[in-house]
């Protein structure tokens, strides 16, 4: 699907901010930004939100193909109550846990984006080993 004008503009702004921050990134098949962070990849994706707003999703997959049970869902719920920035999300259809944080695209600035990438990446790395140890997966 083609970008709306607002998303195309936001995509250019994200690229500018990542370049100015000297953050290394790749582009995926949708032209979204993928930033290596240790053994995790942080995805930065602009989205249209409603008719006149935009959002930037900053997301990292922490684990895949782990055992999904009551204890995992409780762990995610309790951790989300402790997390001040971002959230853990369980995707049952993909058997994935992700660490995510949205940013308002209409008010995005360079420092906020760089900080979000670093926090999402470091949080995902931290949760990856905890989840893998108890629920397996990769």
């Amino acid at each position: 699907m083609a970008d709306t004008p607002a998303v195309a503009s936001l995509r250019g702004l994200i690229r500018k901010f990542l370049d100015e921050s000297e953050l290394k990134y790749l582009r995926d098949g949708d032209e979204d930004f993928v930033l290596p962070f240790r053994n995790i990849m942080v995805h930065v994706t602009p989205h249209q939100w409603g008719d006149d707003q935009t959002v930037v999703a900053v997301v990292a997959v922490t684990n895949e193909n782990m055992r999904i049970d009551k204890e995992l869902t409780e762990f995610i719920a309790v951790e989300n109550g402790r997390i001040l920035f971002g959230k853990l999300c369980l995707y049952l259809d993909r058997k994935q846990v992700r660490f995510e944080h949205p940013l308002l695209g209409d008010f995005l600035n360079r420092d906020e984006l760089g900080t979000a990438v670093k926090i999402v990446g470091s949080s995902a790395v931290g949760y990856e080993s905890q989840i893998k140890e108890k629920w397996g997966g990769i």
Side-chain angles (χ1 to χ4, degrees):
M1 181 170 101
D3 285 346
T4 65
V7 169
S9 176
L10 181 56
R11 192 178 301 281
L13 186 62
I14 292 167
R15 181 177 49 252
K16 176 182 180 278
F17 288 162
L18 293 176
D19 289 342
E20 288 175 355
S21 300
E22 298 183 357
L23 292 171
K24 303 297 181 213
Y25 60 87
L26 308 167
R27 302 295 290 272
D28 67 12
D30 294 324
E31 292 299 310
D32 296 328
F33 303 89
V34 182
L35 296 90
F37 191 95
R38 295 188 215 154
N39 59 323
I40 295 286
M41 301 302 265
V42 178
H43 299 259
V44 177
T45 308
H47 296 280
Q48 188 71 40
W49 187 37
D51 291 335
D52 59 353
Q53 294 178 305
T54 57
V55 172
V56 177
V58 183
V59 176
V61 174
T62 65
N63 302 82
E64 294 183 282
N65 298 318
M66 65 274 144
R67 184 180 77 255
I68 298 173
D69 59 17
K70 179 182 175 191
E71 288 76 25
L72 175 62
T73 58
E74 287 176 356
F75 171 79
I76 290 171
V78 170
E79 286 301 303
N80 277 335
R82 295 180 183 150
I83 296 170
L84 295 176
F85 186 99
K87 62 183 175 183
L88 287 165
C89 299
L90 175 62
Y91 290 84
L92 295 174
D93 58 330
R94 298 177 184 187
K95 292 189 77 171
Q96 285 182 342
V97 174
R98 299 179 189 176
F99 195 89
E100 304 180 355
H101 187 75
L103 302 170
L104 295 172
D106 302 327
F107 304 98
L108 189 66
N109 68 63
R110 183 183 63 231
D111 292 336
E112 179 185 35
L113 179 60
T115 299
V117 166
K118 291 172 186 169
I119 291 175
V120 167
S122 63
S123 297
V125 167
Y127 282 112
E128 176 199 28
S129 58
Q130 285 181 302
I131 292 170
K132 185 175 181 178
E133 182 180 305
K134 293 181 182 177
W135 293 281
I138 54 174

